Each structure stands twice: as structure tokens, then as C-alpha cells.
Amino acid sequence: TKFSIISQEYNLIHGHNPIEHTKSRIKSFESIVNKLARKGCDITTQCAKEYIHDIAGVRIICSFIQDIYNIMDVLRQREDLKILEV
């Protein structure tokens, strides 16, 4: 939903929709537990926050290369999102 809103706002300001497609995924609880066990960590929320950086992921597809950089600038300015890796 956030990316849809970002896309609509961008469209109003710049006159085109830079986001062609988005895909997201959330790691299952079982997968989180298995990964913590493999890392030798306790099965706690704190350990998950500290040691697992791929609990959720979003892929944004843009039609044009410049739109990628423009969307990255927009995302970096948002206080409600935290980008861990590009």
C-alpha cells in the first residue's frame, strides 16, 4: 500500500508513474526459527531483530533507469521506511 501511495504521489508531482511492478515477501515463522538455530542464536524477537536482516523484502521494478534513482531518493526521504540493502 505504501508503494502504491508513493507511486501516486510521484505521478501527481512528475506526471508519470515510475513503478512498473512491486513484489514482496515475508519470511515464515518456521524459516526465522530455523535460521536463528543455524546461527546458534536464541529463539527470541531480539535475536531475530539483531541477526536476521531478510525477514521482509520488497522488489520495485521501474521501466526506466532514471526512475530507479528517483524512487530511491523518495524512499530514502521517508521516515516510515528503513532501507537495509540496495
Side-chain angles (χ1 to χ4, degrees):
T1 302
K2 285 185 189 212
F3 295 112
S4 176
I5 293 168
I6 289 169
S7 184
Q8 290 172 11
E9 288 174 352
Y10 192 96
N11 191 22
L12 286 173
I13 295 168
H14 299 285
H16 77 283
N17 184 349
I19 299 176
E20 181 73 27
H21 179 72
T22 60
K23 185 172 182 172
S24 61
R25 76 137 183 94
I26 298 176
K27 189 178 282 292
S28 71
F29 178 75
E30 181 181 334
S31 181
I32 292 169
V33 168
N34 289 339
K35 191 166 190 176
L36 287 171
R38 282 195 312 272
K39 290 179 172 271
C41 300
D42 293 332
I43 311 301
T44 64
T45 303
Q46 183 60 36
C47 284
K49 285 181 181 179
E50 189 172 340
Y51 295 105
I52 300 181
H53 302 292
D54 63 341
I55 291 174
V58 176
R59 175 175 290 169
I60 299 172
I61 309 297
C62 298
S63 296
F64 302 102
I65 292 172
Q66 187 57 48
D67 286 339
I68 297 168
Y69 297 105
N70 294 340
I71 288 296
M72 280 301 305
D73 289 340
V74 169
L75 296 177
R76 284 188 176 121
Q77 293 172 11
R78 295 196 55 110
E79 295 178 6
D80 59 338
L81 295 173
K82 182 177 180 183
I83 300 170
L84 297 180
E85 183 178 340
V86 176

